[in-house]
Amino acid sequence: MFSSRLSARALRARAYATASAQPPLRGLNAVAREKAEQLSKDWKGTSASGENTSNFIGGEFVQSKATQWIDVVDPSTQTLLTRVPETSSTEFEQAVDAASEAFKTWSKTTALTRQRFILEFQRLIRENADALAASIVLEQGKTLPDAHGDILRGLQVVEHAASAPSLLLGEKIEVSKDMDTEVRKLPLGVTSAIAPFNFPAMIPLWSIPMATVTGNTLILKPSERDPGAAMIIAELCQRAGLPPGVINVVHGTVPTVNAICDHPAIRAISFVGGDRAGRHIYERGTKHGKRVQSNMGAKNHAILMPDANKNLALNSIVGAAFGAAGQRCMAISVAVLVGEAQAWLPDLVKLAENLKVSGGFEKDADLGPVISPAAKRRILGLIGSAEQEGGKIHLDGRHVKVVGYEHGNFVGPTIIEADTSMKCYDEEIFGPVLIVLKADTLDEGIEIINQNRYGNGTAIFTQSGATARKFERDVNVGQIGINVPIPVPLPMFSWSGNKASALGDLGFYGKSAIEFYTQKKTTTSLWKAEDALTSRASVNMPTHH
């Protein structure tokens, strides 16, 4: 799907997009500057003061010899934070070689040994959560509390991985007299994870523990837009005692992604991101015989019934629609107001317009900027398309002004009354924009959801158990919330988005992740008890009775 010509275009576009970046540190306020300087001082592989981000290969932070570099800027101010390499083909091969060599020994360690690494890893994440959060705020633009939430949801998977001795239990039964059949779960080999910009800590913290605790090695490619958290996490793995080569971090765009898809030593790929990249990675990876899990786009609907707890429902919708500036794959991006609940639209608008848009370190900020000027332009274009197609903009965030952050990629909360024929409904906006649809009945609302191509998540707000039961039974979406706006399951369960939101049949954590990162080996063995006393041979056909 992608060609070398496209790769060159992508790199040129990134260079152009960051050509107006402000010099390191100068555009940051006192709080952000202090955080940036501390990060640059304390961590080996990343920088927030203009120095280069390293590769992490074979347990060492290695300066890249790349010829192409990508600027990482603070989306609140356009201040240059670091430069990320387009990891060279030679460096990528070194990462794969390191992972392959480490697998020879790491795969033979016991589940208890790997569990001890996980326990130490989770302790270090907790101790260094402030540094991780600061990196996320600077590079991604989240508010500080939301950045901590990013880390916490990843940490929950790390903690669940500590139950590996139970999760990796095999099966064994005596199938005939003195004959046993045993099934064991064994590691695949070298695996890879390709992480998105919107959860720079959480997604690496999904893949690293599940890949390593099952005995695999991992090559991680963080987003080229905000790699800092992944580099800190790599260093925490090192401090926790993970042997060299078990985790490797490479960087880049299309060329690096294609190298991951094509390399014969890589057995599995975990991806979270957009539709185009997700389909490409799934098709190219599976073509080369790899196991691939790909979580892609979403258009998550929430139905508000007239009998719902109004205060809970409206506050939940506003938080789920506009938190993280709408840049969550499980954000509520469509509210379906059923019957008399349609009269709640003015109250919904009032709640949303009271949200404060500002820099992520500001104490009273509710949402920060979107990731890039290009993302902002796309969001503004989709809002404009609604206006052109006859939609009604009840709250318009296109012209929001943020004092002290005049160069930031800010879009204010926006609420659009639309219909399902409009572009703003059909496309994933991935910004602080809530589409409002109206339905006369619950059945009509369910039909709207089922007709949508995406199936990541959905929610209903109601005080009727019967209504909730009908919704749960009839709606065709993988993850359902009942009076819960963002129904992301905890890690003892499995991620279960469906339809066009996912490719591959195994989820990112829980039991599904154990299946994804392991292969089964079945052994049938015969040890006759009487052979301890006699060695008489039998020439009869074995019948296994």
Side-chain angles (χ1 to χ4, degrees), residues 426-449:
D426 186 61
E427 293 191 17
E428 182 181 32
I429 299 176
F430 223 62
V433 181
L434 178 66
I435 305 301
V436 174
L437 305 178
K438 294 181 177 180
D440 293 330
T441 65
L442 173 63
D443 285 330
E444 185 181 339
I446 292 172
E447 182 64 18
I448 289 170
I449 297 172

Side-chain angles (χ1 to χ4, degrees), residues 528 530-531 534-541:
K528 288 190 175 183
E530 60 263 31
D531 283 351
T534 179
S535 58
R536 184 176 180 180
S538 172
V539 295
N540 296 329
M541 179 70 178

